[in-house]
């Protein structure tokens, strides 16, 4: 049996496309990835919120596992918290490297067209976001590393990579070339920060920590903005100097020999690299011929050298 609709229900007028319909149609045709196809408008987490949350995490772990059979595992668990943010920062750094290459490619391909110009602008915006994200994770890592030290009494160090905190960069970039040059400038300032640079050297068998700390304290009193340069030896005088820098919150730069690249000449090339920064002075404690080589080269460059003798003079 055929149904006959009333006349008033059989007529349906044409409707214009609504904004919702248009949005759904665009998504069906072109697709959409949340916060990837355009700059993410959401703000970064506020520093007080981050500090409060991380402090609560450490406190919660201690309350849960302290005075239990799992307490010996607390230090490893505490260590993993800053390492979590350290690994995230390294991952974003790799994305930033790829973004830089994309910007360089975009610069070469500029032909005056709007398409190429918009694409390059998108890469610049992504680069700025990546910088801000990396710096945020480095802040989280550094703050949780301080909490690790307060809980365990040991300094947190990554098992791979370097613990580097990049200076904050302005988001007011004009174009891609300004962005890339600003990034390179920031990277250089991180590796060679501002301040009075004092080089330090000593043997791996020299362990008079009181004498080393006393001399470094004298240098620090004379140069409050002191930056300590040393060879990064795992024990001996340079290890003691590194501990001093950590305790005094003095910026330190470790110049480790590149054995793979320079073989037996690595320690001497390391000395050249350290002196290329042109430190204001060199502190030398008893050590090997490599230590003496640093002192001799510094004198030839006109850099003041304070050299301790083995008898304590």
């Amino acid at each position: 049996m055929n149904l006959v609709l009333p006349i008033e229900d059989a007529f349906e007028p044409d409707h214009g496309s609504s904004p919702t319909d248009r949005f759904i149609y665009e998504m069906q045709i072109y697709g959409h990835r949340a916060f990837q196809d355009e700059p993410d408008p959401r703000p970064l987490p506020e520093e007080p919120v981050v500090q409060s949350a991380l402090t609560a995490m450490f406190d919660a772990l201690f309350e849960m596992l302290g005075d239990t059979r799992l307490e010996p595992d607390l230090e490893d668990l505490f260590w993993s918290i800053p390492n979590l943010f350290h690994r995230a920062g390294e991952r974003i750094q790799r994305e930033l490297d790829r973004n830089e290459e994309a910007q360089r490619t975009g610069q070469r391909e500029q032909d005056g067209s709007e398409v190429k110009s918009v694409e390059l602008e998108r890469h610049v915006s992504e680069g700025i976001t990546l910088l801000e994200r990396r710096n945020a994770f480095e802040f989280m890592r550094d703050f949780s590393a301080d909490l690790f030290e307060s809980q365990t009494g040991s300094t947190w160090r990554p098992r791979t990579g370097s613990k580097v905190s990049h200076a904050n960069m302005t988001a007011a970039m004009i174009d891609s070339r300004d962005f890339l040059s600003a990034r390179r400038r920031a990277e250089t300032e991180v590796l060679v920060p501002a301040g009075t640079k004092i080089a330090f050297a000593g043997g791996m068998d020299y362990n008079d920590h009181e004498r080393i700390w006393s001399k470094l304290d004298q240098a620090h009193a004379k140069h409050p903005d002191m930056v300590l340069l040393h060879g990064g030896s795992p024990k001996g005088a340079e290890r003691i100097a590194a501990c001093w820098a950590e305790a005094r919150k003095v910026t330190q730069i470790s110049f480790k020999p590149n054995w793979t690249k320079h073989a037996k000449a690595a320690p001497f090339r390391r000395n050249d690299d350290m002196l290329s920064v042109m430190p204001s002075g060199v502190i030398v404690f008893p050590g090997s011929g490599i230590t003496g080589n640093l002192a001799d080269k510094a004198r030839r460059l006109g850099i003041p050298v304070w050299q301790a003798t083995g008898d304590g003079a």
Side-chain angles (χ1 to χ4, degrees):
M1 180 176 64
N2 294 329
L3 295 177
V4 179
L5 295 176
I7 295 177
E8 61 271 14
D9 292 333
F11 176 73
E12 179 69 21
D14 293 331
H15 294 284
S17 177
S18 68
T20 303
D21 174 68
R22 183 65 182 172
F23 175 73
I24 294 174
Y25 176 78
E26 292 287 335
M27 288 185 63
Q28 288 175 338
I29 298 298
Y30 301 108
H32 179 73
R33 297 172 298 170
F35 310 117
Q36 295 184 36
D37 291 331
E38 58 187 14
D40 192 337
R42 297 174 296 181
L44 293 171
E46 297 291 337
E47 288 187 9
V49 175
V50 171
Q51 293 170 337
S52 176
L54 291 175
T55 302
M57 290 171 62
F58 275 82
D59 290 343
L61 275 176
F62 183 81
E63 291 178 5
M64 179 174 64
L65 303 182
D67 296 327
T68 71
R69 196 181 303 172
L70 299 181
E71 186 172 0
D73 299 304
L74 261 178
E75 183 168 345
D76 284 340
L77 294 174
F78 285 149
W79 182 90
S80 67
I81 296 176
N83 185 63
L84 178 70
F85 301 118
H86 178 68
R87 297 293 297 274
E90 286 185 328
R91 174 179 52 79
I92 293 175
Q93 182 64 49
R94 291 191 293 271
E95 293 181 24
L96 190 58
D97 292 338
R98 290 191 290 268
N99 174 268
E100 178 178 344
E101 184 58 34
Q103 288 192 43
R104 293 191 184 282
T105 301
Q107 290 174 7
R108 292 192 298 267
E109 293 178 349
Q110 288 301 300
D111 55 6
S113 66
E114 183 179 359
V115 173
K116 293 295 184 181
S117 177
V118 170
E119 183 178 3
L120 182 56
E121 290 176 2
R122 181 175 63 83
H123 287 314
V124 173
S125 298
E126 289 176 353
I128 294 172
T129 297
L130 289 170
L131 282 173
E132 293 173 342
R133 288 171 58 199
R134 182 197 63 186
N135 293 348
F137 278 121
E138 286 182 351
F139 170 78
M140 297 177 194
R141 178 202 62 193
D142 293 343
F143 185 77
S144 55
D146 291 339
L147 293 174
F148 172 85
E149 183 174 356
S150 65
Q151 288 280 4
T152 65
S154 301
T155 301
W156 184 87
R157 295 185 182 85
R159 292 181 181 140
T160 58
S162 301
K163 181 185 173 184
V164 176
S165 296
H166 295 78
N168 290 330
M169 292 184 61
T170 176
M173 303 296 176
I174 298 175
D175 61 22
S176 181
R177 288 180 178 82
D178 290 341
F179 175 90
L180 296 178
S181 62
R183 184 197 168 193
R184 287 304 181 201
R185 185 168 61 252
E187 298 291 346
T188 302
E189 290 171 355
V190 166
L191 295 176
V192 187
T196 303
K197 297 163 187 65
I198 303 295
F200 179 94
M204 296 181 67
D205 297 326
Y206 190 89
N207 294 299
D208 191 344
H209 66 278
E210 292 182 356
R211 194 171 177 214
I212 293 174
W213 278 51
S214 175
K215 187 58 186 177
L216 290 173
D217 280 337
Q218 290 178 17
H220 191 210
K222 184 177 180 181
H223 306 289
D225 62 341
M226 174 177 167
V227 175
L228 181 67
L229 317 178
H230 60 80
S233 296
K235 62 179 183 177
E238 292 175 355
R239 176 66 186 133
I240 294 170
C243 292
W244 173 87
E246 290 172 357
R248 298 290 191 260
K249 305 300 181 183
V250 170
T251 302
Q252 57 179 309
I253 305 176
S254 175
F255 289 79
K256 295 183 179 180
N258 189 336
W259 299 100
T260 302
K261 185 176 181 180
H262 302 300
K264 293 181 179 180
F268 303 100
R269 295 293 295 271
R270 182 272 314 278
N271 287 348
D272 294 338
D273 292 340
M274 192 182 303
L275 294 176
S276 69
V277 182
M278 291 304 294
S280 300
V282 178
I283 299 173
V284 179
F285 278 84
S288 65
I290 298 170
T291 304
N293 172 265
L294 177 68
D296 292 340
K297 288 180 176 177
R299 291 190 184 98
R300 287 198 293 270
L301 291 171
I303 300 173
V305 177
W306 184 90
Q307 189 159 8
T309 59
D311 57 4

